[in-house]
Amino acid sequence: AASDSRITSPEKASGAGRGFNYFPEYYLSKYFLATHGWDVPVYTIDRGSGACQVADVYAKLIETLNIDAVLCVDGGTDSLMFGNEEKLGTPTEDSTSIAAIHSLKAPVSKFLICLGFGVDHFHGVSHHLFLENTATLIQDGGFLGAFSVTAQMPEGQMLLSLYDYVASVSVDSIVCSSVCNAMRGRFGNVQASPRTAASDLYINPLMSMYWCYGLSAVATRMPHMDKLMATASREEVGAVITTYRNSLESVRHAKPMPL
């Protein structure tokens, strides 16, 4: 359920499986209050939830806060995998969020935004297939366009300042460090975290682009969506994804991009 307190401390939000406390939103909220005087609350959802519980939390927040739009933002691009691709990256949490938001009955606009083109190469995601899925969504009327936030814009300056602050007090984010390095004009194998030392990175200007979609258009392209919307736990989400993939006679294979 959504946290009863406005802010959950990082000590209470231990990053499961990481071996350390990981809660960058806590520090973002502190930064907004200290720098701009903005009281930005953080609402938490149990990480073991399925789509049904997540949808219930969103419905409560929509009613309580009088929300008219929900933006689901993915740090990466694997949320745009339909499920029949050779590699899906890390689909469980993305699929849970998309299914939960898609199932909402409240009259709200629903959007999916992907930031960090190329970051998920580390997890085997094919960006050829990401672009192919985007083309499919263009045919469906579900692609809403793309844009960049540059380092010269006020919003870009704030993002870079936010990242620098959080990175100085918490564990560095591979996605955020890649996006911010791209915004700063860095290119190629630029290492910002010891956690990527064994990887050959490809920092590039496409990483700082925001790719925007109608969330329900994406959900409609996932054949197992109905079953995902009925899940009651994280384990059930994983089982639905596995069962669907085991039912496929073939998958769409990754291809190099001819660029």
Side-chain angles (χ1 to χ4, degrees):
S3 173
D4 292 332
S5 60
R6 293 179 69 76
I7 298 292
T8 301
S9 70
E11 291 76 16
K12 294 181 180 178
S14 177
R18 294 175 179 269
F20 52 78
N21 292 332
Y22 183 72
F23 190 13
E25 294 84 1
Y26 169 81
Y27 298 104
L28 290 178
S29 187
K30 287 185 63 176
Y31 173 90
F32 283 130
L33 186 61
T35 306
H36 300 284
W38 301 340
D39 183 14
V40 181
V42 177
Y43 298 92
T44 61
I45 302 173
D46 191 316
R47 192 167 182 263
S49 299
C52 290
Q53 293 95 328
V54 175
D56 287 344
V57 173
Y58 273 112
K60 181 178 179 180
L61 291 174
I62 288 168
E63 180 181 1
T64 303
L65 302 176
N66 195 28
I67 291 171
D68 60 9
V70 178
L71 279 70
C72 186
V73 183
D74 178 20
T77 55
D78 57 350
S79 61
L80 208 73
M81 299 296 102
F82 297 155
N84 61 353
E85 296 82 1
E86 184 177 5
K87 296 286 182 67
L88 300 184
T90 53
T92 303
E93 291 178 358
D94 292 338
S95 297
T96 302
S97 296
I98 291 172
I101 296 169
H102 178 57
S103 71
L104 292 174
K105 304 302 182 185
V108 294
S109 300
K110 306 167 186 178
F111 304 100
L112 173 66
I113 300 175
C114 295
L115 171 65
F117 182 93
V119 170
D120 282 326
H121 178 73
F122 176 78
H123 292 124
V125 173
S126 165
H127 290 82
H128 169 95
L129 294 177
F130 167 81
L131 293 175
E132 184 175 47
N133 289 358
T134 297
T136 297
L137 290 165
I138 290 174
Q139 297 174 35
D140 296 343
F143 177 56
L144 306 178
F147 66 93
S148 294
V149 173
T150 70
Q152 292 74 36
M153 296 176 178
E155 297 85 355
Q157 293 170 10
M158 182 180 291
L159 174 57
L160 294 174
S161 177
L162 276 168
Y163 165 73
D164 290 341
Y165 168 72
V166 175
S168 72
V169 296
S170 180
V171 177
D172 197 10
S173 162
I174 294 173
V175 172
C176 286
S177 64
S178 298
V179 169
C180 289
N181 276 332
M183 289 177 63
R184 287 173 164 138
R186 293 165 186 164
F187 185 81
N189 188 25
V190 180
Q191 297 287 338
S193 170
R195 291 189 291 151
T196 61
S199 302
D200 188 14
L201 303 183
Y202 184 56
I203 306 300
N204 68 87
L206 293 176
M207 282 186 171
S208 60
M209 291 185 65
Y210 295 74
W211 301 69
C212 308
Y213 307 87
L215 182 139
S216 289
V218 177
T220 301
R221 278 289 173 176
M222 300 169 68
H224 51 311
M225 180 50 58
D226 286 345
K227 290 184 172 62
L228 286 171
M229 290 191 295
T231 54
S233 69
R234 179 184 178 89
E235 289 72 21
E236 285 188 18
V237 174
V240 167
I241 295 170
T242 299
T243 299
Y244 167 66
R245 289 181 64 76
N246 288 342
S247 73
L248 297 173
E249 294 183 1
S250 62
V251 295
R252 294 159 57 210
H253 292 283
K255 297 179 182 178
M257 290 192 294
L259 299 177

